[in-house]
Amino acid sequence: MISVLGLGFVGLTTGLGFAKKGFRTYGFDISEERLSSLKNFNVPFHEPYLPEVLKETHNKTFFLDTPFEEAIRNSEAVFLCVGTPEKEDGSADLKYLLAAIEQVLDVDTPKFQVLVTKSTVPPSTVSNEVIPFVKEKLKSSKQRKVGFASNPEFLREGFCWEDFINPDRIVIGVEDDHSREVLDKIYKPFNAPVHYVNYNTSEFIKYLSNTMLSTMISYSNEMSMVAGAIGSIDIKKSFRILHEDKRWFGSPASMKSYVYPGCGYGGYCLPKDTSALVKISEKNGFTPSMLVANINTNRVIKSHLVDNLDGKIGSDEPIGILGLSFKPDSDDVRLTPAKDIIELLIKKGFTNIYAYDPISNNEFKKHYPALSLKYLDSLEDIVDKCDHLFLLTAWSEFREKKDLLKSKSLYDYRYAL
Ligand SMILES: NC(=O)c1ccc[n+]([C@@H]2O[C@H](COP(=O)([O-])OP(=O)(O)OC[C@H]3O[C@@H](n4cnc5c(N)ncnc54)[C@H](O)[C@@H]3O)[C@@H](O)[C@H]2O)c1
C-alpha cells in the first residue's frame, strides 16, 4: 500500500501510475478544492490520459476518500510530492515538505514505512534536513520505524503519463536495505533501468538534468544576443542548421561525450573560437557573460584538480601523465589541457613527471620543449615507473588495458574508465 501526498502534476501522476500498476494507492492533498474536483473525475490541470486513468482506477486501486490516519497506518511507502517553491533568497522552500512529513509522523504505526521524497529538493536535503527533522520528531516514539528514500521525478508537463509509465530511467537514493526492498517492489513492474545511489547523488542527478537544460536555453538566448549585437545574422536559420549536427543523434560521436566532466577543453578550435566570439561581441557592445564564465571555468577546472592533490602525493614521487593530445585519436597538442596541468604540477613543486601518449609524445616535446618531463614509450613502462597516474586524454588503449592500472592511484580526469 502506498500513500501519495500532494496531487499536482507529479503526485497525481505518481498516484495514478502506481494504481494502474495494481498497487493500492491513497492520494491526499491539503487543497479541498483540488480533492473535490478529483473526486468528480475532473483533473484540475491539463494533462492527457490522467482523466481516463482516474476514472479507471478510482475506488478500485486509487482512493481519495480513505481517512488519512488509516491510509498512513497501512502504507509501506509514503511518496512526498508537494511543492518546493523558491524562497526570496533563491533557495528552495522546504516548508511544505517538512509539514507533510510532520503530518505523516503524527500517525502512529508499528509498521516499517519509507518516506520517499519525490519533490525536487537540493542535494543534501534528505541527509541534512529530512532525517534530522524526523529523528527530532520521533525522539519520544518507541514504535515508529521509518526509512528514507529520494526518488526524483523526471516527467515533463504535457507528457506526465507517458514519462511516468515509460520512464527512461528511475533513480532511487536509498541507504538501507529495508527501504531498498520496498522501493524495489514498487518499481519492479516498470520496465526501466533502476539506479540505486545514495541520497545526495540521487538529488544531484535531478539538478544535473534541470540545470543542463536551463544552461542550454540560456546559452541559446545569449548566442542570439551576440548575433543581434553583431548584426545581419539569420538567428533562426543558424539554430536550425546547428540542430542538423549528427552528434545530436548519437553517431558516430554523440553530444553525450561533451556533457561529461573532465579536465577542460583544448585543441585548436574550442578555446580560440570561444574567446574570439567574446571579443567580437564585446566590440559590438554586448558582453556574453555565459561565454566569459565558460572560459573561466575551463581555466579554473585545471587548478582545481591540481589543488585537490595537496598532501596526497609527495613532491618527489613519480607522477605519470597518461595522454598528451587534447583528445583521443589525434596528435594535436595545441592548447591541450595536459600542458596546463603539467605546468601547474611543476609549479606545485612536483619534480618527477613522466608522460606517455600513444602517438603524441613527439608533438608535445616539439611544442613545449621547456617543460621538464620524461617521455616513455609504452603504457607498461609508465605503469612500471609511477604509482600515481593522471589520465588526461581518453585514449581507448587506457580503457582496453585498464587492468594494468588497477593497483595504481589513478586520477581519471576524463572519466574514461
Ligand atoms: N511539474 C513538473 O513538471 C515537475 C517535474 C518533476 C519534478 N517536479 C517537482 O515535484 C514537486 C511537485 O511539483 P508539482 O508540479 O506536482 O506541484 P503542484 O504545485 O502542481 O502540486 C503540489 C501539491 O501539493 C499539495 N500539498 C502541499 N502541501 C501538502 C501537504 N502537506 N499534504 C498534501 N498535499 C500538499 C498542494 O496543494 C498541491 O496540490 C516539486 O518539487 C517540483 O519541483 C515537478
Side-chain angles (χ1 to χ4, degrees):
M1 286 188 191
I2 298 169
S3 286
V4 176
L5 269 61
L7 297 176
F9 288 91
V10 169
L12 183 62
T13 311
T14 301
L16 292 175
F18 291 148
K20 174 87 185 176
K21 293 286 183 191
F23 295 100
R24 245 183 119 79
T25 308
Y26 304 98
F28 296 96
D29 201 291
I30 41 166
S31 159
E32 282 303 329
E33 198 189 331
R34 182 154 276 194
L35 273 179
S36 68
S37 123
L38 286 171
K39 283 176 197 167
N40 290 319
F41 302 111
N42 289 321
V43 173
F45 41 83
H46 171 74
E47 204 49 63
Y49 304 110
L50 295 192
E52 290 83 350
V53 189
L54 179 62
K55 282 199 187 94
E56 186 190 326
T57 56
H58 192 223
N59 282 340
K60 296 190 185 77
T61 47
F62 188 63
F63 302 92
L64 291 166
D65 294 310
T66 312
F68 186 72
E69 281 212 23
E70 183 189 327
I72 298 296
R73 230 181 290 122
N74 292 329
S75 291
E76 270 193 277
V78 178
F79 280 76
L80 302 153
C81 303
V82 301
T84 47
E86 183 176 336
K87 281 208 276 203
E88 221 162 86
D89 66 358
S91 59
D93 193 342
L94 302 176
K95 70 170 182 251
Y96 300 105
L97 180 73
L98 297 179
I101 291 174
E102 190 160 21
Q103 289 155 15
V104 175
L105 296 178
D106 282 344
V107 178
D108 209 13
T109 168
K111 203 180 171 83
F112 176 80
Q113 182 169 73
V114 191
L115 297 180
V116 187
T117 303
K118 200 174 226 341
S119 301
T120 302
V121 291
S124 76
T125 297
V126 169
S127 304
N128 294 346
E129 305 285 344
V130 172
I131 294 178
F133 179 80
V134 169
K135 283 205 167 133
E136 179 61 31
K137 291 273 156 216
L138 293 185
K139 252 190 349 213
S140 50
S141 164
K142 291 233 162 35
Q143 68 159 357
R144 199 81 160 87
K145 290 188 275 317
V146 171
F148 301 92
S150 152
N151 172 218
E153 181 51 57
F154 298 96
L155 60 72
R156 297 161 298 163
E157 285 181 22
F159 302 90
C160 282
W161 182 251
E162 288 145 273
D163 285 350
F164 186 83
I165 223 71
N166 278 318
D168 34 29
R169 76 286 205 205
I170 292 163
V171 175
I172 300 175
V174 72
E175 297 185 8
D176 70 280
D177 292 341
H178 202 159
S179 304
R180 181 179 163 141
E181 275 165 31
V182 173
L183 271 296
D184 222 15
K185 208 160 52 183
I186 292 173
Y187 279 110
K188 200 154 237 135
F190 290 78
N191 189 20
V194 180
H195 301 284
Y196 287 101
V197 291
N198 65 14
Y199 306 133
N200 280 13
T201 307
S202 160
E203 294 160 335
F204 176 70
I205 288 167
K206 174 66 188 171
Y207 282 83
L208 190 61
S209 165
N210 274 6
T211 54
M212 188 199 64
L213 301 176
S214 66
T215 304
M216 286 203 297
I217 292 167
S218 286
Y219 158 76
S220 305
N221 289 331
E222 184 170 286
M223 289 306 282
S224 77
M225 292 190 271
V226 168
I230 296 169
S232 191
I233 292 173
D234 185 337
I235 297 174
K236 203 171 187 177
K237 194 161 196 174
S238 305
F239 275 85
R240 292 241 165 95
I241 295 172
L242 175 77
H243 294 160
E244 286 177 16
D245 188 323
K246 58 167 96 60
R247 284 170 288 197
W248 292 113
F249 314 107
S251 144
S254 90
M255 273 305 169
K256 277 194 270 184
S257 62
Y258 292 83
V259 187
Y260 228 77
C263 52
Y265 56 78
Y268 183 56
C269 299
L270 298 189
K272 78 172 174 54
D273 298 347
T274 310
S275 296
L277 193 66
V278 170
K279 289 293 166 212
I280 186 90
S281 183
E282 282 174 348
K283 204 169 128 195
N284 283 279
F286 177 70
T287 300
S289 53
M290 286 191 71
L291 293 185
V292 173
N294 155 345
I295 292 168
N296 189 42
T297 302
N298 200 44
R299 186 175 51 77
V300 167
I301 184 68
K302 294 163 195 141
S303 40
H304 176 80
L305 295 176
V306 173
D307 287 345
N308 273 349
L309 300 173
D310 281 352
K312 292 187 188 139
I313 307 176
S315 60
D316 54 350
E317 285 188 75
I319 290 181
I321 304 292
L322 304 182
L324 295 167
S325 57
F326 86 100
K327 67 170 188 178
D329 304 312
S330 160
D331 67 348
D332 197 342
V333 298
R334 289 172 296 177
L335 296 182
T336 174
K339 183 242 174 191
D340 293 335
I341 289 180
I342 292 167
E343 248 171 20
L344 288 164
L345 288 169
I346 293 171
K347 226 189 249 165
K348 277 243 172 245
F350 292 102
T351 51
N352 222 351
I353 304 178
Y354 292 84
Y356 163 70
D357 186 288
I359 63 171
S360 323
N361 280 3
N362 287 337
E363 271 305 296
F364 195 84
K365 205 188 298 182
K366 210 160 72 197
H367 268 79
Y368 309 111
L371 284 183
S372 136
L373 69 157
K374 295 158 225 133
Y375 296 88
L376 293 169
D377 291 331
S378 72
L379 183 61
E380 287 75 8
D381 283 351
I382 198 161
V383 167
D384 211 34
K385 279 249 169 353
C386 309
D387 282 334
H388 304 286
L389 297 167
F390 293 8
L391 195 158
L392 301 186
T393 316
W395 283 98
S396 52
E397 182 185 359
F398 304 151
R399 219 169 284 131
E400 282 152 20
K401 298 187 184 166
K402 68 169 187 260
D403 282 353
L404 277 180
L405 311 172
K406 257 191 193 147
S407 61
K408 301 287 166 176
S409 87
L410 177 72
Y411 297 85
D412 180 2
Y413 287 159
R414 288 293 183 190
Y415 286 73
L417 303 182

